[in-house]
Amino acid sequence: MARMRLDKLLSALAVCSRSGVAALLRAGRVRVDGAAAKDAGMAVDPDVQIVTLDDQTLEWKAQRTVMLNKPCGVLTAARDPKQPTVLDLLPPLYRAMNCMPAGRLDKDTEGLLILTTDGQLAHRLISPKREVGKLYEAEVDGPLCADDVAAFAGGLSIRDADGAFQAKPAELTILSCGEAESTARVRVTEGKYHQVRRMFAARGRMVTALRRLAIGSLYLDESLQPGQWRELSPQEIRLLEQAPAEPEARRESPAEK
Ligand code: URA
C-alpha cells in the first residue's frame, strides 16, 4: 500500500469524515507509531505504521471481502432511497471502501452473498464465461420426480413473461417429496434474472422459499443467522479465486503454451 494522507485513511476506515479529523487530532486521540499526530495531511503507510485511535489499533486492509447471510426482504444493491439494502447491514467502513455485492440475490432469496472491494474477484465470480457453480436449496409447492431431474440435467427451455432463454444443464437433487410441498437442491452455472424460480416454473412448480448455500466451493457459514456477516479468511478467498478461469484466459495462460 502506498503512503496516504492521515485524514484520508481515517475517513476510509469510517472513523470520521475528513473534516472531523481536525477535532480528533486537537484532542490528541490519534497516534502514529506512538506519537500524537498533529497534521491531518501527514503521509502514513498503513501497512507499516501503527495508527491508533484512543489507544485502539486501527486495522487497515487494502481489500475487504465479506460473506453475508442475506435475509429475505433486503435488496442486493449498494443504496436505495426507500428500501433496506445489503450494504445497510454492514458497518459504514464497508460503504466507505466501496464494497459491492458480487452478484445478486432476489429480495425474497436468503443465503450466501459475497461483498467485496476487490473488483477482479467480483468479476471472477460473476463473469458468465467462468460458469462458477451456485448451489441453492428450494422449497416448491408440489411434488418433484425423476422427470424433473432429467429436464434440469438436459437444459430447460425457458419462455415466460420475462423473456426466453435456453438454460445450461443443471443438477437437481430431490431432498423430500410431498403432494403439497417438496425440497430440492439445485446447482446452476449461470445467473439469469430469477433463474432458479423460472426453471422450476418451467416444470410447473412455484418456488416458495429459496436459499443460496454455496458459490463455487465456498459454503455459507452455518453459524451466521440471516442478517449476520463476517470477513472471509485468506483460505476462503483463495477458494473463490480458484473459480475456473475464462476460456480465453485458460488458452493464453503461459503454463499451457
Ligand atoms: N435464482 C432465483 O430465482 N433467484 C435468486 O435470487 C437466485 C437465483
Side-chain angles (χ1 to χ4, degrees), residues 146-158:
D147 283 354
D148 296 312
V149 175
F152 273 64
L156 288 160
S157 292
I158 312 285

Side-chain angles (χ1 to χ4, degrees), residues 6-8 10-11 15-27 29-30 40 53:
L6 181 60
D7 54 0
K8 196 165 171 217
L10 293 175
S11 71
V15 167
C16 60
S17 64
R18 273 177 91 168
S19 56
V21 172
L24 290 182
L25 299 189
R26 264 198 311 278
R29 293 174 60 191
V30 179
L53 172 68

Side-chain angles (χ1 to χ4, degrees), residues 127-159:
S127 164
K129 291 187 194 156
R130 290 184 196 264
E131 300 188 355
V132 175
K134 314 225 164 69
L135 180 66
Y136 294 88
E137 196 163 289
E139 285 174 24
V140 299
D141 66 346
L144 295 169
C145 62
D147 283 354
D148 296 312
V149 175
F152 273 64
L156 288 160
S157 292
I158 312 285
R159 186 172 295 276

Side-chain angles (χ1 to χ4, degrees), residues 2 5-6 10 16 33 36 40 53-54 62 82-83 94 99 108 110 117 132 166 174 187 198 215 227:
R5 286 175 59 105
L6 181 60
L10 293 175
C16 60
D33 289 337
L53 172 68
D54 298 336
K82 295 203 180 89
Q83 303 187 60
Y94 293 90
C99 196
D108 293 337
E110 192 179 296
T117 57
V132 175
Q166 181 66 39
I174 300 171
R187 191 180 290 279
R198 291 165 78 190
I215 297 175

Side-chain angles (χ1 to χ4, degrees), residues 68-76 86 89 104-113 135-138 192-197 207-213 220 226-227:
L68 169 70
N69 185 354
K70 178 194 166 301
C72 288
V74 173
L75 291 185
T76 305
V86 289
L89 297 170
R104 180 170 288 275
L105 288 178
D106 297 340
K107 187 176 170 189
D108 293 337
T109 303
E110 192 179 296
L112 177 60
L113 186 72
L135 180 66
Y136 294 88
E137 196 163 289
K192 298 265 184 345
Y193 178 66
H194 287 174
Q195 171 112 18
V196 173
R197 292 174 206 273
V207 171
T208 53
L210 188 60
R211 183 162 173 255
R212 183 153 68 192
L213 305 178
L220 177 65

